[in-house]
Amino acid sequence: MKDTAPIKQHLIDPEICIRCYTCEMTCPIDAIEHDDDNVVVDPDVCDGCMACIPVCPTGSIDEWRVVETPYTLEQQYGWDELPEQEDIVLDAAPGADEALDGAMAALLAEAHAGAGGKPKAPVTAAKPSINLYNLGKPAVAKVIGNHRLTDDPDHDVRHVILDFGAQPMPVLEGQSVGIIPPGEDADGNPHLPRLYSVSSPRDGERSNYNFVSLTVKRDVHEGGGGVCSNYLCDLELGDEVRVTGPFGGTFLMPDDRDAPLLMICTGTGSAPMRAFTMRRQRTGRGAGRMTMFFGARTPDALPYFGPLKKVPADLLEQHLVYSRTEAKEYVQDRMRAEAERVAELLQDARTHVYVCGLKGMEEGVEAAFTSIAESIGEPWGALRDRMRDEGRYHVETY
Ligand code: NAP
């Protein structure tokens, strides 16, 4: 019999973590720390209080392993990815109940992560580069473009183009970069990076130039939010910007050009969809058509409204929906109206689904998928789980 029961150890997924250090600042007992590479949890200090879970913007904090010997800080600092859960044999002995609770909680926490569980990259996705630049050693890019994308005077969305010059910035469509705003926060600490999806394809905003574009909305909320977004919106040509990343190893497009893509987005959540579309425009069509449900307040508030009109219909089927025109439509309403088309895509084993934008859209999109999937005799939960496990169901909402 073992003299110590297995414990449930709290860990952070280095592949998904964006190194914003919010968890570290939130932890009430200083159990979280970082070096230039990873953010780690001290097993001797962490008491599993969960205070850090809701503040994490990516969900990378919600990782748990049941272990007989906890992973040390040194081991965690050396990881590029989390170790798999090892098989633990629990003894039917005093103390085992507690361990069993921990094991169940760990399994449940994993089952509930992300898009209904642990997301996976598409099988044919290119291998992403991750964490080339960090807070201590950022890339420095030069602003070579800052164009307004929306006519609505109250809705300033910008297309910001950064030139990385000779610094390698191999970023795939669907990945994100961190932007470090200059200056200090209210407590006098330097600002931490904020995350933005790239809206350019892997070979650059301009083909074969080391240019990366971002889609950024000015934050006009009262109360001093939007430090980084407003910094980006106000950038002038020639300004220098400190950049970390790239980040993200799963929200990627398949390299299989025959795979249909179903893209559902709101507002600036269109950034990765633009990158996917440009990639397919540049690499030739294949058989995989792209279908997009894109929601904005009005046509004047829809980023890339003009350029989208020029994308051929046989490459991209567009459903642009507006919530503040007479139509008063959300993306999920149009998905239901186009149930037959969505059902056809769900039945194609090559279809990859991407949902990106406001956190609030998730519930309505899930409900629309549920009724459409049920109409073709597929329980949505099971179908979604299968797609996710096959790297074909992806959600990125904030
Ligand atoms: P927004 O303009 O505020 O909203 C876009 C549309 O979504 C509006 O028509 C809005 O309708 C609608 N909407 C609101 N609640 C909804 C719901 N429950 N279901 C479906 N549609 C809903 O959007 P935004 O300010 O651009 O925000 C986009 C989000 O994308 C942000 O949270 C951003 O963080 C995230 N994002 C951005 C990037 C990036 O790199 N830029 C990448 C990924 C995600 P009403 O307002 O009329 O209700």
Side-chain angles (χ1 to χ4, degrees):
M1 189 191 300
K2 299 180 196 82
D3 50 9
T4 53
I7 64 150
K8 180 182 153 197
Q9 182 174 10
H10 185 195
L11 298 168
I12 297 173
D13 188 338
E15 284 187 286
I16 299 175
C17 171
I18 59 166
R19 282 77 177 160
C20 68
Y21 313 120
T22 313
C23 55
E24 186 175 333
M25 291 183 288
T26 305
C27 179
I29 52 170
D30 296 332
I32 302 180
E33 57 181 71
H34 70 270
D35 68 2
D36 276 354
D37 292 320
N38 283 351
V39 189
V40 298
V41 185
D42 190 335
D44 294 331
V45 181
C46 177
D47 61 4
C49 76
M50 311 292 273
C52 55
I53 304 297
V55 299
C56 173
T58 62
S60 58
I61 191 83
D62 203 4
E63 289 288 345
W64 307 84
R65 296 289 182 273
V66 179
V67 290
E68 284 165 329
T69 309
Y71 295 107
T72 62
L73 291 174
E74 287 67 33
Q75 285 173 302
Q76 296 177 52
Y77 277 131
W79 286 340
D80 293 324
E81 59 184 31
L82 280 182
E84 294 289 327
Q85 172 65 57
E86 284 179 11
D87 290 338
I88 302 280
V89 180
L90 298 171
D91 295 321
D97 279 353
E98 232 178 77
L100 194 59
D101 287 345
M104 291 298 106
L107 287 173
L108 270 177
E110 278 196 43
H112 294 162
K118 197 171 173 60
K120 286 200 181 143
V123 175
T124 64
K127 179 126 187 68
S129 303
I130 296 176
N131 301 334
L132 296 182
Y133 302 95
N134 56 34
L135 194 57
K137 235 179 20 187
V140 179
K142 197 163 266 186
V143 178
I144 56 163
N146 182 351
H147 313 290
R148 188 167 173 146
L149 294 169
T150 46
D151 288 336
D152 181 341
D154 300 324
H155 201 86
D156 183 6
V157 180
R158 301 266 164 175
H159 186 64
V160 177
I161 308 170
L162 302 175
D163 178 3
F164 286 86
Q167 303 156 100
M169 185 49 94
V171 54
L172 293 173
E173 308 82 10
Q175 282 195 289
S176 299
V177 293
I179 301 291
I180 310 170
E184 296 174 342
D185 63 19
D187 298 326
N189 299 314
H191 284 300
L192 297 171
R194 308 293 204 278
L195 198 65
Y196 295 85
S197 307
V198 302
S199 48
S200 48
R202 68 190 74 177
D203 61 333
E205 170 72 10
R206 180 173 170 195
S207 208
N208 298 323
Y209 282 75
N210 201 8
F211 301 165
V212 171
S213 69
L214 310 175
T215 312
V216 188
K217 183 172 120 174
R218 184 180 297 282
D219 190 334
V220 290
H221 284 101
E222 283 174 20
V227 168
C228 192
S229 292
N230 293 347
Y231 157 67
L232 285 167
C233 286
D234 290 332
L235 284 171
E236 296 189 359
L237 298 192
D239 283 351
E240 289 193 335
V241 179
R242 291 178 300 155
V243 184
T244 63
F247 299 115
T250 63
F251 195 102
L252 303 172
M253 67 186 296
D255 273 359
D256 171 11
R257 286 182 299 132
D258 294 337
L261 306 189
L262 171 55
M263 309 183 290
I264 301 153
C265 61
T266 51
T268 54
S270 54
M273 313 312 187
R274 176 184 186 265
F276 293 167
T277 306
M278 285 180 77
R279 173 71 183 163
R280 285 250 167 124
Q281 278 179 302
R282 285 188 188 168
T283 52
R285 309 240 160 129
R289 198 168 177 214
M290 310 173 82
T291 305
M292 179 167 71
F293 292 85
F294 185 175
R297 298 172 185 187
T298 62
D300 279 353
L302 187 131
Y304 305 112
F305 183 74
L308 269 173
K309 284 199 267 188
K310 295 186 194 137
V311 180
D314 60 345
L315 177 76
L316 178 68
E317 176 184 322
Q318 302 182 32
H319 298 277
L320 307 183
V321 304
Y322 304 112
S323 57
R324 301 194 192 180
T325 60
E326 221 170 285
K328 292 202 173 32
E329 225 182 346
Y330 275 167
V331 280
Q332 56 267 35
D333 302 324
R334 184 65 71 90
M335 288 169 68
R336 286 174 191 271
E338 295 287 335
E340 236 173 80
R341 174 78 186 121
V342 176
E344 188 191 328
L345 285 163
L346 290 181
Q347 284 168 301
D348 186 332
R350 280 178 140 172
T351 297
H352 290 59
V353 178
Y354 300 86
V355 181
C356 189
L358 296 164
K359 187 101 209 140
M361 72 191 279
E362 265 180 40
E363 198 183 326
V365 168
E366 278 273 318
F369 271 136
T370 302
S371 72
I372 295 167
E374 275 166 11
S375 74
I376 49 169
E378 290 267 14
W380 169 241
L383 176 59
R384 183 201 57 198
D385 290 353
R386 194 167 71 237
M387 293 181 77
R388 189 193 57 243
D389 290 347
E390 292 171 1
R392 299 191 296 116
Y393 188 75
H394 302 273
V395 177
E396 186 172 296
T397 55
Y398 294 104

